[in-house]
Amino acid sequence: MGALLWLLIPVLAGLAAALWSSWTLRNRRTGDVAELAGYARFRAAMEKQHTTPAPTATAPEHASDPA
């Protein structure tokens, strides 16, 4: 009986490996199309020219010392 119990361990490991490999090799429906579209949107956003607002005149640029 003990030998059958020891034989059960590699059999269960083989079944777990078969299930894991079938899960990793499954056919994914989305593929790279969604990722490539997102990357294209990211590149378009990064290539846009962003305008910076003009600095406000809160203090004079070259303030002279009163001394």
Side-chain angles (χ1 to χ4, degrees):
M1 188 68 175
L4 289 177
L5 204 61
W6 278 104
L7 184 62
L8 189 62
I9 294 171
V11 169
L12 290 177
L15 287 174
L19 287 173
W20 178 78
S21 66
S22 66
W23 181 74
T24 57
L25 294 175
R26 70 189 185 279
N27 190 5
R28 296 186 177 122
R29 294 181 183 152
T30 57
D32 291 334
V33 176
E35 291 181 22
L36 289 175
Y39 179 67
R41 287 192 308 270
F42 170 76
R43 285 190 58 185
M46 294 303 289
E47 289 174 357
K48 284 183 183 177
Q49 296 256 340
H50 295 288
T51 59
T52 56
T56 57
T58 56
E61 287 187 28
H62 301 288
S64 61
D65 288 330

